[in-house]
Amino acid sequence: MKSFVVSFHQEDNVDTMQIQKLSEADFEKATEGGTRHLFELDTNIGFFVFFDGADKDGTISYMMLQYEEDNEDPSACYAFQLSDFYEFMALYLNDLEFAEEMDEEDEEQEYGPIHHLAHLLFHIVEEGKDLAV
């Protein structure tokens, strides 16, 4: 497991995040007690699955798997602090409400919560992509 820090643009209104990039062995350990799939997001930089998992002692981790193109195996696994993970969930849930309020023709034109989430994920992926685990 390697830790790294992601700083966002000032206009992103998100604090710096301390993130862990997990190896396959780290992932297996962190999810030994089971996982719960929470939500997923398909973007132009990959497909992301958000979930939490428990290790053998019941310690909960908040994670995200990144899949690139049509690969069945994830290209990366990231773990977050609960407060940062909560930010992602809030953006995802806010987008559900935001999408209901919009007309279908305006949907692609407005920058909404889901676009902001994808933008944050772009920063995370860019910072972590060259980090070998």
Side-chain angles (χ1 to χ4, degrees), residues 8-44:
F8 299 96
H9 300 126
Q10 183 177 355
E11 56 272 10
D12 290 335
N13 293 321
V14 176
D15 292 335
T16 299
M17 290 183 188
Q18 174 93 21
I19 300 169
Q20 288 78 42
K21 188 171 183 180
L22 283 66
S23 67
E24 190 172 338
D26 295 328
F27 172 80
E28 294 297 327
K29 231 174 143 177
T31 60
E32 207 171 353
T35 62
R36 290 187 302 178
H37 176 268
L38 300 171
F39 66 96
E40 52 196 46
L41 182 63
D42 195 3
T43 73
N44 62 344

Side-chain angles (χ1 to χ4, degrees), residues 5 11 13 54 70 98 123:
V5 175
E11 56 272 10
N13 293 321
D70 293 330
F98 181 78
H123 285 292

Side-chain angles (χ1 to χ4, degrees), residues 27-122:
F27 172 80
E28 294 297 327
K29 231 174 143 177
T31 60
E32 207 171 353
T35 62
R36 290 187 302 178
H37 176 268
L38 300 171
F39 66 96
E40 52 196 46
L41 182 63
D42 195 3
T43 73
N44 62 344
I45 60 169
F47 182 77
F48 299 91
V49 177
F50 293 81
F51 63 100
D52 61 14
D55 66 11
K56 67 178 180 173
D57 299 321
T59 302
I60 304 293
S61 295
Y62 307 94
M63 296 172 274
M64 173 185 78
L65 290 173
Q66 177 193 5
Y67 294 86
E68 293 177 338
E69 298 176 17
D70 293 330
N71 293 334
E72 289 186 21
D73 294 326
S75 56
C77 180
Y78 300 98
F80 304 93
Q81 294 176 1
L82 177 57
S83 59
D84 297 331
F85 196 78
Y86 180 84
E87 180 74 27
F88 301 148
M89 288 187 66
L91 287 168
Y92 181 80
L93 293 172
N94 281 335
D95 189 71
L96 297 176
E97 184 177 318
F98 181 78
E100 285 179 11
E101 294 174 2
M102 293 184 55
D103 295 331
E104 281 187 25
E105 62 190 52
D106 295 334
E107 196 167 317
E108 301 243 355
Q109 297 171 358
E110 287 247 7
Y111 183 85
I114 209 74
H115 299 100
H116 189 60
L117 175 55
H119 175 76
L120 299 179
L121 296 178
F122 172 78

